[in-house]
């Protein structure tokens, strides 16, 4: 009899439900701590599940998933959107921790998700650094916007302006320190250092953007295809067509990694200006009636395909392989 386990992840605890022989077990709860993880590992080794399913929920799933895999247990980490869609199919409206764990166990039995392999320590550390740099950069942008608003009115006390300037300077120092740490980390991994240089070969991708993108792409399973990576980034197209009455505009799904999408936005704008191949592709799409934003998203998707090719083939970014003259002519057709 095959047994599947579902794990609902929380900040302080996890709920576990197993599913086998058509029945669900009673939910068990473990603390989100090393001792709690060890207790769960001992229980799972006795149960010997075919798959332990959990969602990629923020940062809370990662340590547990790594601990389970290192203990020799089969783990599948799935997108929370998959669980939500599965619940909709089952017409399940109730939502509690134990119900969610049971749903994940049944998902594992019916969908047989691919098992998860954790990235090595260098890649894990680079992702953590990249995300923190991204968060601090966002905070700095907000602070600069606040400073601009303060300076726009004479009623703002000088103290507030100086305080905001000091906050921006502090964020600058923190970002620079983390960037230096990321570069040092690259120096410890020849493979990551090569990939970083490959990414920097793309027009519009400077050092900071290359770090942000590499931090996200280096932890993805290398068996993924470019279309799957686009879906992971939420850059895949969601169509709205049904019968003869429902024909809404197509949009990107945005059901994926926001760090990749935000990091690609500005490089795509630069590529349209300074890369002849990307510019021809962009103009061809606009000539076909696409909006400028739609055309730019298409360039983002192409750039992501090229970057993933760098990861897969260990070669520098080459836009001529993505935006050939023939490709541009086909876009005009």
């Amino acid at each position: 009899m095959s047994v599947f386990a579902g794990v609902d992840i929380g900040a302080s605890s996890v709920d576990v439900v197993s599913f086998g022989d058509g029945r669900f077990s009673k939910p068990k709860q473990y603390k989100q701590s090393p001792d709690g993880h060890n207790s769960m590992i001992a229980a799972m080794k006795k149960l010997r599940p075919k798959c332990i399913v959990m969602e990629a929920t923020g940062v809370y799933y990662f340590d547990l998933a790594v601990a389970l895999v290192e203990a020799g247990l089969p783990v599948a980490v799935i997108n929370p959107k998959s669980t939500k869609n599965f619940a909709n199919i089952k017409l399940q409206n109730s939502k509690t921790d134990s119900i969610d764990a049971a749903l994940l166990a049944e998902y594992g039995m019916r969908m047989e998700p691919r098992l998860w392999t954790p990235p090595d320590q260098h890649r894990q550390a680079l992702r953590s650094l990249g995300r923190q740099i991204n968060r601090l950069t966002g905070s700095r942008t907000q602070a600069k916007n606040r400073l601009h608003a303060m300076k726009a009115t004479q009623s703002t006390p000088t103290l507030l302006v100086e305080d905001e300037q000091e906050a921006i300077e502090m964020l600058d120092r923190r970002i620079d320190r983390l960037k230096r740490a990321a570069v040092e980390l690259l120096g410890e991994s020849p493979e990551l250092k090569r990939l970083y240089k490959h990414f920097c070969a793309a027009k519009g991708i400077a050092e900071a953007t290359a770090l942000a993108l590499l931090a996200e792409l280096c932890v993805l399973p290398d068996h993924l295809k470019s279309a799957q990576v686009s879906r992971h980034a939420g850059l895949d197209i969601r169509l709205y067509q049904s019968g003869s009455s429902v024909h809404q505009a197509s949009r990107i799904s945005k059901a994926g990694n926001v760090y990749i999408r935000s990091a690609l936005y500005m490089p795509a704008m630069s590529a349209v200006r300074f890369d002849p191949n990307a510019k021809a592709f962009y103009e061809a799409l606009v000539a076909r009636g696409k909006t400028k934003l739609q055309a730019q998203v298409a360039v983002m998707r192409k750039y992501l395909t090229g970057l993933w090719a760098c990861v897969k083939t260990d070669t520098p970014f080459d836009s001529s392989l993505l935006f050939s003259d023939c490709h541009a002519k086909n876009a005009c057709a």
Side-chain angles (χ1 to χ4, degrees), residues 58-303:
V59 298
Y60 299 113
Y61 80 94
F62 197 82
D63 287 346
L64 175 58
V66 170
L68 290 169
V69 172
E70 290 180 347
L73 292 163
V75 175
V77 179
I78 65 174
N79 191 314
K81 289 284 186 180
S82 300
T83 313
K84 182 178 180 181
N85 292 335
F86 187 65
N88 290 338
I89 291 173
K90 289 175 57 63
L91 301 179
Q92 181 170 301
N93 296 321
S94 300
K95 182 175 176 61
T96 66
D97 293 342
S98 58
I99 288 176
D100 288 347
L103 184 72
L104 288 167
E106 186 176 357
Y107 181 96
M109 186 273 292
R110 298 190 183 280
M111 305 305 294
E112 297 185 358
R114 187 187 294 268
L115 297 183
W116 181 75
T117 302
D120 62 42
Q121 293 296 323
H122 284 95
R123 292 169 186 254
Q124 292 179 34
L126 183 61
R127 187 186 70 161
S128 297
L129 285 170
R131 290 192 170 185
Q132 180 66 357
I133 291 170
N134 185 287
R135 287 188 286 265
L136 292 178
T137 301
S139 297
R140 183 177 61 182
T141 300
Q142 293 174 355
K144 287 182 176 180
N145 291 337
R146 287 194 299 269
L147 180 61
H148 178 77
M150 289 177 182
K151 290 183 175 181
T153 175
Q154 296 181 354
S155 62
T156 303
T158 303
L159 178 61
L160 291 182
V161 173
E162 293 175 350
D163 182 71
E164 201 65 61
Q165 289 173 333
E166 290 177 5
I168 293 171
E169 291 171 1
M170 174 61 76
L171 287 168
D172 286 337
R173 289 195 294 270
R174 293 176 64 187
I175 291 170
D176 289 341
R177 182 177 62 181
L178 294 182
K179 284 182 179 178
R180 289 194 299 270
V183 171
E184 291 176 4
L185 188 65
L186 292 177
E188 298 174 4
S189 174
E191 182 182 0
L192 290 177
K193 189 174 182 179
R194 287 197 311 274
L195 290 176
Y196 173 72
K197 292 181 177 179
H198 295 341
F199 283 20
C200 289
K203 290 186 178 180
I205 294 183
E207 295 178 355
T209 304
L211 277 175
L213 289 167
L214 180 58
E216 296 301 322
L217 295 180
C218 74
V219 298
L220 296 183
D222 57 10
H223 60 75
L224 294 182
K225 297 181 180 179
S226 58
Q228 292 173 306
V229 176
S230 292
R231 285 196 295 272
H232 173 78
L235 288 173
D236 55 314
I237 301 298
R238 176 177 292 175
L239 299 177
Y240 289 90
Q241 297 179 359
S242 177
S244 60
S245 59
V246 179
H247 291 279
Q248 299 181 26
S250 300
R251 301 178 183 275
I252 60 172
S253 70
K254 294 186 179 181
N257 191 309
V258 67
Y259 294 100
I260 296 177
R261 291 200 306 276
S262 62
L264 280 172
Y265 186 79
M266 293 305 296
M269 291 186 67
S270 296
V272 169
R273 293 182 60 192
F274 301 111
D275 187 312
N277 299 309
K279 182 178 181 181
F281 178 77
Y282 174 88
E283 292 177 345
L285 292 180
V286 172
R288 287 175 51 190
K290 300 294 183 181
T291 66
K292 292 182 178 180
L293 181 57
Q294 288 174 326
Q296 181 171 325
V297 170
V299 174
M300 290 170 63
R301 194 159 45 246
K302 285 290 183 181
Y303 249 51

